[in-house]
C-alpha cells in the first residue's frame, strides 16, 4: 500500500474535525487567502509596493516556525528518541526548496508580463496541481472532477475583470495600459505552474507518509523553508541594510495572516487533500472582492457573478454530484 494511503488517516481526520471544527479551519483559510491582495494594496505608496517581497516571505516562514515551536512547547515534545532525525526531516527539504523557488519566480516573472496576464495564466496552476495529485499520489480524478477544476480555472480568469474603479477614476498609477507577455514570460508561467503543483503535492505526500505528529512535521517544513528563503534573499539582495525598508503596520498584518494561513493549509493537506486547498483558494476570491469594494470602493461587474456561479457549480460537481 502507498504510504499516503494511511489506514489510520480517516480516524485522525474525524478526531481533528470534531476537535477544531473543520468548517472553521476552511473559513479562516478563505479569509486569510482573500485578504492578502487587499492588504498589499493598502501598503502601496504611489501605486508601488515599497518593501521587499522576499524579506516578507522570510518573515512569514519565521512566524510559522515560531508558532510551531510554541505549540510544541505548550503541548509537550513528542516522545521517542527517533522523533527528530535527519531521515525524518529530509522529505520536507524538497517542498521547502520548491516553495522558495516559486515565491521568487512569482516576483521576477511579473516583469515579463502585465499583472492581468499574470493572474489569468497563473490560474493554470490549478490544472498542474490536479495533474501532480493524480499522477504522483496515484489518485486519478474522474472526468466530472476534471470538469469541476476546469470551472475553477475559468472562474479565476473571470475574477480578473470582476471589479473596476468608480466612475471618473482612472487606472492606478504605474499600471500597464496593455496586455503583454514575452516568450520568456510564457516559459516562466509554465515553470511557475508546474513548480507550484509539485510543491503542493510533495508537501501533502510528506505530511501523510509517516506517523509523526503534524507539529513536528511542520517544524521540519518551516525550518527548511526559512533556510531556503533566506538563501534566496541573500543571493538576490545586495545586503541586509534594506531588509525592513518600506515596512508599515499593514506588513505586520500580512505576515500574521499568511503565517496563520500556512498553518491552516498544513491541516488541510494532512487531513484532507490539495484539491480542497484549490477550492479554498478559489472561494477566497469572494473575500477579495468584498474587501476591495469596502476598502477601495471598487464596483462589481457581471463577471464577478459569473465567477461566483462557476465556483458554486464546481463545488457541486466535485463534492455533491452523484
Amino acid at each position: 500500500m502507498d504510504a499516503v494511503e494511511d489506514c489510520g488517516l480517516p480516524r485522525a481526520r474525524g478526531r481533528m474535525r470534531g476537535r477544531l471544527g473543520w468548517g472553521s479551519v476552511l473559513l479562516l483559510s478563505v479569509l486569510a487567502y482573500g485578504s492578502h491582495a487587499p492588504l498589499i494594496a493598502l501598503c502601496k505608496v504611489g501605486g508601488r509596493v515599497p518593501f521587499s517581497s522576499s524579506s516578507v516571505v522570510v518573515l512569514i516562514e519565521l512566524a510559522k516556525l515560531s508558532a510551531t515551536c510554541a505549540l510544541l512547547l505548550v503541548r509537550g515534545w513528542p516522545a521517542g528518541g527517533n522523533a527528530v532525525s535527519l531521515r525524518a526531516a529530509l522529505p520536507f527539504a524538497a517542498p521547502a526548496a520548491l516553495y522558495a523557488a516559486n515565491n521568487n519566480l512569482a516576483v521576477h516573472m511579473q516583469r515579463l508580463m502585465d499583472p492581468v496576464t499574470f493572474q489569468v495564466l497563473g490560474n493554470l496552476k490549478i490544472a498542474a496541481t490536479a495533474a501532480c495529485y493524480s499522477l504522483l499520489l496515484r489518485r486519478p480524478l474522474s472526468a466530472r472532477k476534471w470538469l469541476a477544476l476546469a470551472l475553477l480555472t475559468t472562474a479565476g480568469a473571470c475574477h480578473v475583470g470582476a471589479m473596476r474603479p468608480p466612475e471618473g477614476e482612472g487606472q492606478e498609477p504605474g499600471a500597464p495600459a496593455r496586455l503583454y507577455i514575452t516568450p520568456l514570460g510564457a516559459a516562466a508561467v509554465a515553470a511557475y505552474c508546474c513548480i507550484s503543483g509539485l510543491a503542493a503535492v510533495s508537501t501533502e505526500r510528506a505530511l501523510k507518509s509517516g506517523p509523526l505528529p503534524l507539529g513536528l512535521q511542520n517544524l521540519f517544513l518551516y525550518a527548511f523553508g526559512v533556510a531556503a528563503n533566506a538563501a534566496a534573499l541573500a543571493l538576490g539582495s545586495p545586503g541586509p541594510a534594506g531588509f525592513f525598508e518600506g515596512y508599515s503596520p499593514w506588513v505586520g498584518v500580512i505576515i500574521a495572516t499568511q503565517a496563520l494561513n500556512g498553518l491552516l493549509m498544513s491541516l488541510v493537506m494532512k487531513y484532507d487533500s490539495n484539491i480542497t486547498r484549490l477550492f479554498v483558494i478559489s472561494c477566497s476570491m469572494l473575500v477579495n472582492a468584498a474587501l476591495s469594494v469596502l476598502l477601495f470602493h471598487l464596483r462589481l461587474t457581471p463577471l464577478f457573478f459569473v465567477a461566483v456561479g462557476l465556483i458554486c457549480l464546481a463545488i457541486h460537481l466535485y463534492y455533491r454530484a452523484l
Side-chain angles (χ1 to χ4, degrees):
M1 179 181 294
D2 198 296
V4 297
E5 300 292 344
D6 181 8
C7 61
L9 189 57
R11 292 193 296 272
R13 183 188 297 122
R15 290 195 300 271
M16 194 279 294
R17 286 179 175 177
R19 187 166 60 250
L20 297 179
W22 190 241
S24 298
V25 170
L26 297 180
L27 178 60
L28 282 173
S29 296
V30 169
L31 292 173
Y33 261 115
S35 66
H36 187 53
L39 286 172
I40 289 179
L42 288 173
C43 297
K44 288 185 177 180
V45 177
R48 302 185 64 180
V49 175
F51 55 83
S52 165
S53 299
S54 298
S55 69
V56 171
V57 171
V58 171
L59 291 179
I60 290 172
E61 293 298 314
L62 276 172
K64 290 189 288 187
L65 179 60
S66 299
T68 298
C69 290
L71 288 172
L72 283 172
L73 290 174
V74 169
R75 294 181 177 181
W77 197 263
N82 296 325
V84 179
S85 67
L86 182 61
R87 183 176 181 180
L90 278 179
F92 297 91
L98 288 170
Y99 276 126
N102 228 35
N103 289 335
N104 285 275
L105 180 60
V107 174
H108 295 297
M109 67 191 289
Q110 296 185 58
R111 302 172 184 172
L112 307 173
M113 67 198 75
D114 66 279
V116 173
T117 299
F118 172 74
Q119 290 182 55
V120 172
L121 296 182
N123 281 290
L124 294 175
K125 67 183 179 183
I126 294 175
T129 301
C132 291
Y133 178 84
S134 178
L135 294 173
L136 300 183
L137 298 186
R138 300 176 185 176
R139 295 181 182 179
L141 302 174
S142 66
R144 173 174 55 79
K145 291 185 175 182
W146 276 111
L147 175 60
L149 295 173
L151 292 175
L152 279 189
T153 304
T154 306
C158 290
H159 182 71
V160 174
M163 294 170 288
R164 62 186 177 195
E167 291 289 346
E169 292 191 15
Q171 201 174 23
E172 182 179 335
R178 62 185 179 86
L179 302 179
Y180 73 95
I181 182 171
T182 67
L184 182 58
V189 167
Y192 170 79
C193 293
C194 291
I195 294 173
S196 178
L198 284 172
V201 171
S202 61
T203 299
E204 180 178 346
R205 185 180 184 87
L207 289 171
K208 290 179 176 176
S209 63
L212 295 179
L214 179 60
L216 198 54
Q217 291 177 321
N218 279 341
L219 178 67
F220 297 147
L221 179 62
Y222 301 144
F224 281 120
V226 170
N229 283 284
L233 178 63
L235 291 173
S237 173
F243 188 91
F244 293 106
E245 183 178 352
Y247 275 41
S248 68
W250 288 119
V251 179
V253 177
I254 291 172
I255 292 169
T257 55
Q258 293 310 299
L260 173 62
N261 188 52
L263 293 168
L264 293 173
M265 282 297 99
S266 289
L267 282 171
V268 171
M269 287 189 281
K270 174 78 170 179
Y271 298 111
D272 206 294
S273 72
N274 261 293
I275 304 300
T276 297
R277 171 180 164 271
L278 294 177
F279 278 92
V280 166
I281 294 172
S282 294
C283 289
S284 71
M285 293 187 297
L286 310 182
V287 176
N288 182 314
L291 290 176
S292 296
V293 170
L294 290 173
L295 296 175
F296 311 116
H297 309 293
L298 298 182
R299 296 192 305 162
L300 299 179
T301 71
L303 279 177
F304 170 78
F305 301 100
V306 172
V308 172
L310 290 173
I311 291 171
C312 292
L313 180 57
I315 292 173
H316 174 73
L317 284 174
Y318 198 93
Y319 292 106
R320 299 296 182 186
L322 297 176

